[in-house]
Amino acid sequence: MLVLLPPSEGKATSEGGEPLDLGALSLPGLGPAREAVLEELVGLCAADETKAQEVLGLSDGLKGEIAKNAGLRTAGTRPAGEIYTGVLYDALGLATLDARARELAESSLLVFSGLWGAVRVGDRIPSYRCSMGVKLPGLGALGAYWRTPMAEVLPAAAGDGLVLDLRSAAYATAWKPKGEVAGRTATVRVLQSKIVDGVEKRSVVSHFNKATKGRLVRDLLTAGRTPDGPAELVEALSDLGYVVEAAAPAKAGKAAKTGKAWAVDVVVKEL
């Protein structure tokens, strides 16, 4: 099982840790692309604060992130699972997983990033600011920039089991599973259900979406469930108490040929 996660905008500090070692990160095939983005980002933030603020889309209150980016090469690092914070990661609660679940998390979770492409939760990275929506002057839009190296590296990383895609739209642009991999990919949407004037209304609510995604990943990890494909994911989530509605692609039995992912809705009434 490979679980694709978005990063968080907010990040924990990484002061005091050992400095960044790009060569030690998982998915070494992404190394040259990571070096190029890092070089461009550090150079931009070190040379022109005003331009960097505009490119990164930072408010005046976040201008301190520019100096942080300028010092990335010598900044301390922490495991990515500790760097990323926010609703999804709070619900996932990596720090409180038991040893077996933690081992499974480190082998199956992949966090997408505008700067690193994608990292495992055990990879040591510094705190940074660079979303996938950024357009760096020398490299262009990062979502488009990462497509080629991701297409070369991630099919092998996907192994032969389920690809559970929980990314937000901006990060999904960097890699779209194709062919046989797409046939065993499930994209998950969380819908909040409310009864309004006797009629059920469903909507996507950011907080519910992020919290539920974090919680369902945690539940899969703690239960030791590693579904082989989308149909098995639906079964596993149902067993764990989730209300799940799934739409298989047309000719689901030939999903590898259709190259289409399953669409899975998780319906919640309250957190």
Side-chain angles (χ1 to χ4, degrees), residues 209-234:
N209 178 57
K210 294 175 182 178
T212 303
K213 286 179 177 179
R215 190 170 68 247
L216 71 83
V217 172
R218 181 184 178 88
D219 287 346
L220 288 170
L221 296 174
T222 55
R225 301 291 291 264
T226 55
D228 292 329
E232 293 79 8
L233 171 69
V234 172

Side-chain angles (χ1 to χ4, degrees), residues 6-82:
S8 59
E9 285 297 318
K11 299 174 182 68
T13 61
S14 55
E15 298 174 0
E18 58 193 61
L20 174 67
D21 180 359
L22 274 180
L25 298 181
S26 301
L27 306 177
L30 298 178
R34 287 169 174 153
E35 174 60 38
V37 178
L38 181 64
E39 181 71 15
E40 177 82 4
L41 181 63
V42 169
L44 169 68
C45 292
D48 190 333
E49 182 180 276
T50 300
K51 185 174 181 180
Q53 182 179 1
E54 178 183 353
V55 169
L56 297 175
L58 300 177
S59 65
D60 288 342
L62 292 173
K63 288 175 66 173
E65 300 292 299
I66 298 170
K68 181 193 294 184
N69 282 349
L72 283 173
R73 290 194 181 276
T74 57
T77 61
R78 292 169 63 179
E82 297 177 12

